[in-house]
Amino acid sequence: MILKGGERENRIYIIIAVIIIVVIIFTIFFSTNTLKKAFIEDSFLDDSWFEDIIERREGSQLFGLENWASFTYKNDNLSYPAYVTVTSIKLLFMMNEEDLLEKTEDTIKRISEQGIFIDISSRISDKRELKNGHKTTYVIYDGNDTSEEPSERIKIIGETWNCGNSGTSIICIGVAQVTDNASNNSKINIVNWERIIGYQNGLIYNVKCH
């Protein structure tokens, strides 16, 4: 079929208009898909807790339509080390709570690749409300750090929630060593553990996500 000059021009205009509309839609979508990174404010980090800048991680896929970022906070107590990671995830569609908890537990289980034994039978799961009003689901495990001798007892928490205000899913993983067998000290010390999971001054309790 041979198009007349006017018909050809009309089709070109239509194609250009469609391209412009698609570009506008993608521009709007990308501008609203900016990742709001959850973090722990410096005001809640005392002299012994700090953000390990070297451990900052972030990435994206699907041409930037899915993004994630992670911050790690550590304690400089050599006898009872502890850390917390705060990971923000923004996907095309927000994960439901079941999938988010499953991803959290998968993350915890991958810790075992670092010489950590996780006592699956010790699993505790519950819900709570954070300072920012989000209702979370968490799991707690006991374990042992066998990466060095002697091994040390540890406690692990995975806590997760969806932040509707920022459109992100948040996963927090906290690990605290509660024994110091290397110094022949069999006493259990949960000070750093309580700092991770506690209310008011607790690190995860005060995560800022929106």
Side-chain angles (χ1 to χ4, degrees):
M1 181 179 64
I2 300 176
L3 297 177
K4 296 180 180 179
E7 293 177 343
R8 186 182 298 109
E9 288 181 358
N10 287 339
R11 287 201 174 186
I12 292 174
Y13 290 143
I14 292 173
I15 293 172
I16 293 174
V18 170
I19 292 174
I20 292 174
I21 292 173
V22 170
V23 170
I24 292 174
I25 291 174
F26 268 88
T27 300
I28 294 174
F29 186 84
F30 275 106
S31 65
T32 58
N33 200 49
T34 302
L35 176 65
K36 174 73 173 180
K37 301 173 184 177
F39 65 99
I40 300 173
E41 294 182 296
D42 291 341
S43 59
F44 293 104
L45 302 176
D46 54 30
D47 294 338
S48 62
W49 283 89
F50 63 95
E51 184 203 343
D52 188 342
I53 304 296
I54 297 177
E55 293 292 328
R56 281 191 182 183
R57 299 286 186 272
E58 59 182 294
S60 64
Q61 57 186 16
L62 290 181
F63 305 101
L65 298 179
E66 296 183 355
N67 302 279
W68 65 272
S70 180
F71 299 106
T72 299
Y73 304 86
K74 294 183 177 180
N75 187 285
D76 61 6
N77 188 322
L78 298 179
S79 297
Y80 300 94
Y83 70 86
V84 176
T85 62
V86 180
T87 302
S88 309
I89 305 170
K90 187 157 190 177
L91 306 178
L92 289 171
F93 301 99
M94 193 176 292
M95 286 186 284
N96 59 47
E97 292 184 359
E98 291 77 14
D99 291 341
L100 196 52
L101 181 60
E102 181 178 351
K103 186 175 182 65
T104 301
E105 298 219 52
D106 286 343
T107 302
I108 290 176
K109 290 172 183 176
R110 284 200 298 272
I111 296 177
S112 61
E113 300 173 2
Q114 306 169 20
I116 302 297
F117 168 76
I118 299 173
D119 182 3
I120 302 300
S121 65
S122 67
R123 183 183 186 274
I124 297 173
S125 180
D126 206 343
K127 298 179 182 292
R128 70 168 175 169
E129 184 173 323
L130 302 183
K131 182 179 179 180
N132 56 26
H134 287 305
K135 291 180 171 57
T136 73
T137 301
Y138 65 83
V139 289
I140 293 176
Y141 291 96
D142 291 328
N144 288 279
D145 183 349
T146 61
S147 60
E148 296 182 6
E149 290 292 339
S151 64
E152 304 287 359
R153 291 177 59 183
I154 62 172
K155 295 185 77 66
I156 306 167
I157 183 172
E159 189 160 7
T160 185
W161 66 94
N162 282 320
C163 177
N165 294 31
S166 62
T168 56
S169 299
I170 315 298
I171 294 176
C172 296
I173 305 292
V175 179
Q177 181 178 309
V178 296
T179 61
D180 185 18
N181 295 325
S183 300
N184 296 319
N185 185 353
S186 59
K187 183 178 180 181
I188 300 294
N189 185 317
I190 60 173
V191 171
N192 290 332
W193 173 246
E194 290 180 337
R195 183 78 164 86
I196 291 173
I197 68 171
Y199 287 88
Q200 302 305 319
N201 200 40
L203 297 177
I204 296 179
Y205 180 79
N206 286 285
V207 167
K208 185 178 180 64
C209 58
H210 65 266

